Amino acid sequence: RSERAPRQCAQASRRKMAPTAAAAQPHPAAGGTTIAWPWLVIAALATYNLLSLTHLFLIWSTPGHPVPEDAKQVGLLAFGGSSAVVLPLCLLLFSCGPPSPRRGQSFRIYTFKVFCSMAVLFILQVLIRIEIARWHNDEVNLADKGVPISANVSSARERGEL
């Protein structure tokens, strides 16, 4: 009886110290096999949006160009800020990958959350792209109609807008 007690205690302490096989090995899909190309697609779309917004800003800030509506000016800042945040975030997720799920969390639920966040970012950038295309078409139509460029020059200077 006295010989069994130390042996059982030693075995019990080894069991407590050694991690179980399930806890020691991560989920097979969690370690580096995640799909990274969608993050790069979203980053490319955000870059294209930023370039298009810069082009619109340069058009709108040209001397003698009619002042855009207030909603377009605010949209330029909001869309630019959103794309400027999404671009480095997606590049970081492309290079490093998303963080792994917490211990005890279902891998399927975690993968669904990552997919949903990717879909939200993609849809947001597509909607921004559509609105920028509308604004660009408005500028093309304005130039085709022959609107006098000097129509709002004085009011723009008085209000301090673009």
Side-chain angles (χ1 to χ4, degrees), residues 105-125:
Q105 185 180 14
S106 169
F107 186 74
R108 287 183 180 175
I109 291 175
Y110 175 75
T111 305
F112 179 71
K113 288 178 182 178
V114 171
F115 175 76
C116 286
S117 64
M118 186 184 328
V120 165
L121 290 177
F122 180 74
I123 290 170
L124 176 72
Q125 292 303 309

Side-chain angles (χ1 to χ4, degrees), residues 36-141:
W37 65 266
W39 298 113
L40 193 59
V41 170
I42 298 170
L45 187 57
T47 303
Y48 186 56
N49 286 344
L50 283 172
L51 291 174
S52 298
L53 287 169
T54 304
H55 183 257
L56 275 176
F57 174 75
L58 292 175
I59 289 173
W60 289 344
S61 62
T62 303
H65 189 275
V67 177
E69 302 164 6
D70 292 339
K72 288 183 180 180
Q73 293 178 22
V74 172
L76 182 81
L77 292 174
F79 293 164
S82 173
S83 295
V85 169
V86 167
L87 177 62
L89 176 70
C90 287
L91 289 176
L92 183 67
L93 287 169
F94 172 74
S95 63
C96 300
S100 47
R102 285 179 270 162
R103 186 174 299 194
Q105 185 180 14
S106 169
F107 186 74
R108 287 183 180 175
I109 291 175
Y110 175 75
T111 305
F112 179 71
K113 288 178 182 178
V114 171
F115 175 76
C116 286
S117 64
M118 186 184 328
V120 165
L121 290 177
F122 180 74
I123 290 170
L124 176 72
Q125 292 303 309
V126 167
L127 292 176
I128 289 173
R129 179 74 238 145
I130 291 169
E131 191 64 26
I132 292 171
R134 274 190 42 222
W135 290 348
H136 193 269
N137 287 338
D138 290 346
E139 292 301 318
V140 170
N141 291 339

